[in-house]
Amino acid sequence: MRHCSVQVRGLLTREELDRYNGLIEVGSYLEDQSRYDLAYTIQKEIDLLILPGIERLKEKGRARDRATADYLESLRKDDNDGEDDD
């Protein structure tokens, strides 16, 4: 079974995380039993389950980028305000 990143797991709700852990356990058991056909189906379910966590991670990145852009803009404005004092 392919695991998702720690960052994505950290952004899953408790319900999503419990379901994720259960599916991983079932999928690992199926792989141990060489039932790769069924493990594939479980992996597809996991892939769908983690999509909200991936979107939350993307949004955190976009928010960080906006905050950085705002900060850089404020620095630029401060620099321009200082030049007017001459």
Side-chain angles (χ1 to χ4, degrees):
M1 296 274 73
R2 286 187 329 256
H3 287 272
C4 66
S5 70
V6 172
Q7 292 90 346
V8 170
R9 270 184 271 162
L11 295 174
L12 295 176
T13 64
R14 171 52 50 198
E15 184 179 311
E16 291 167 340
L17 187 59
D18 289 345
R19 186 157 186 250
Y20 171 85
N21 289 332
L23 288 170
I24 285 288
E25 190 171 328
V26 169
S28 295
Y29 173 79
L30 290 170
E31 285 180 340
D32 289 344
Q33 301 300 311
S34 299
R35 292 301 311 263
Y36 300 106
D37 56 332
L38 296 175
Y40 174 80
T41 303
I42 297 296
Q43 184 65 58
K44 294 301 250 178
E45 285 299 312
I46 291 169
D47 293 345
L48 291 174
L49 176 66
I50 63 173
L51 286 177
I54 292 170
E55 287 304 314
R56 291 178 199 121
L57 184 61
K58 287 179 183 178
E59 183 52 43
K60 278 183 74 172
R62 287 188 287 266
R64 185 185 59 243
D65 292 346
R66 283 191 299 272
T68 300
D70 291 345
Y71 174 72
L72 293 174
E73 181 66 21
S74 72
L75 289 179
R76 190 184 63 74
K77 285 182 181 178
D78 288 347
D79 286 347
N80 286 341
D81 290 343
E83 291 174 8
D84 292 340
D85 293 339
D86 291 341

